């Protein structure tokens, strides 16, 4: 009987941590775009003039479509052809196309698809490789859609019908 009280005391000390609340840190594997669902603080080198274009250069109160692509990706090439063919559906949307591949490859893609003819498309080189890890890219092309306030609406990983993209903006 004289050992009952110390045994109960030790048992209570052992069980107390299990009853305490725990605060879980944010999961590190959660993509940054989900943790910070606004237009990221990107900076790209524009083609063809090599000027800098950043988040601050986006037009205010205008929807934004951010496309990450690779000039040598067949799906990206196909998506770009579709985008330019149906550009009228995207007239009120500013489009930023970025690639981390060498500047000269992005410039060739810009010329091959006559991007200069589409004033609402800005294309550039992500020389700091900021965007792919931010979005945890799994496939290309990757599209992130933002509303007029810069809040994330949706993302599309891989080829997608542009009608789905237009519908997501509504």
């Amino acid at each position: 009987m004289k050992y009952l009280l110390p045994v109960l005391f030790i048992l209570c000390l052992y069980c107390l941590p299990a009853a305490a609340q725990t605060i879980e840190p944010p999961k590190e594997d959660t993509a940054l775009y989900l943790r910070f669902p606004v237009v990221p603080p990107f900076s790209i080198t524009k083609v063809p003039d090599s000027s800098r274009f950043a988040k601050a250069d986006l037009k205010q109160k205008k929807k934004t479509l951010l496309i990450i692509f690779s000039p040598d990706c067949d799906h990206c090439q196909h998506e770009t052809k579709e985008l330019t063919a149906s550009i009228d559906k995207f007239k009120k949307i500013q489009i930023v196309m970025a690639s981390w591949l060498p500047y000269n490859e992005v410039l060739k893609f810009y010329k091959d698809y006559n991007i200069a003819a589409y004033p609402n498309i800005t294309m550039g080189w992500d020389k700091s490789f900021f965007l792919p890890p931010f979005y945890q890219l799994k496939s290309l092309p990757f599209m992130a859609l933002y509303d007029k306030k810069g809040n994330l609406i949706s993302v599309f990983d891989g080829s997608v019908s542009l009608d789905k993209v237009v519908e997501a903006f509504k």
Side-chain angles (χ1 to χ4, degrees):
M1 189 75 170
K2 68 180 187 179
Y3 296 108
L4 184 62
L5 190 57
V7 170
L8 285 175
F9 180 72
I10 292 172
L11 188 60
C12 285
L13 286 177
Y14 181 75
C15 294
L16 266 177
Q21 289 182 340
T22 58
I23 299 174
E24 291 185 33
K27 293 183 179 179
E28 293 302 319
D29 63 342
T30 302
L32 288 172
Y33 78 92
L34 294 172
R35 291 174 47 200
F36 306 101
V38 294
V39 176
F42 70 90
S43 178
I44 59 175
T45 303
K46 279 176 49 176
V47 290
D49 63 3
S50 298
S51 63
R52 182 180 161 277
F53 186 84
K55 175 183 178 177
D57 299 312
L58 290 172
K59 294 177 182 151
Q60 299 295 312
K61 298 182 182 177
K62 195 161 186 179
K63 295 175 184 176
T64 303
L65 172 59
L66 181 61
I67 303 173
I68 303 169
F69 74 101
S70 172
D72 59 0
C73 162
D74 291 336
H75 296 284
C76 300
Q77 294 167 7
H78 178 74
E79 205 83 19
T80 302
K81 285 177 190 173
E82 280 190 43
L83 177 65
T84 55
S86 58
I87 197 70
D88 290 341
K89 297 177 181 179
F90 295 90
K91 282 207 184 247
K92 295 183 179 184
I93 298 168
Q94 56 189 332
I95 302 168
V96 177
M97 295 181 71
S99 178
W100 67 91
L101 290 179
Y103 181 85
N104 61 341
E105 291 181 37
V106 179
L107 179 60
K108 182 180 181 326
F109 190 89
Y110 177 87
K111 290 177 179 176
D112 288 349
Y113 291 92
N114 194 26
I115 301 300
Y118 309 100
N120 61 324
I121 300 177
T122 301
M123 185 175 285
W125 173 43
D126 178 15
K127 71 178 179 179
S128 63
F129 195 72
F130 170 76
L131 294 170
F134 182 84
Y135 290 106
Q136 287 187 351
L137 294 187
K138 293 178 182 71
S139 57
L140 293 173
F142 179 91
M143 296 184 194
L145 292 64
Y146 294 92
D147 66 13
K148 291 179 181 184
K149 294 180 182 178
N151 297 315
L152 183 67
I153 298 170
S154 184
V155 296
F156 295 101
D157 208 356
S159 293
V160 65
S161 161
L162 290 179
D163 290 333
K164 284 186 180 182
V165 176
V166 171
E167 189 62 34
F169 270 121
K170 290 184 180 178

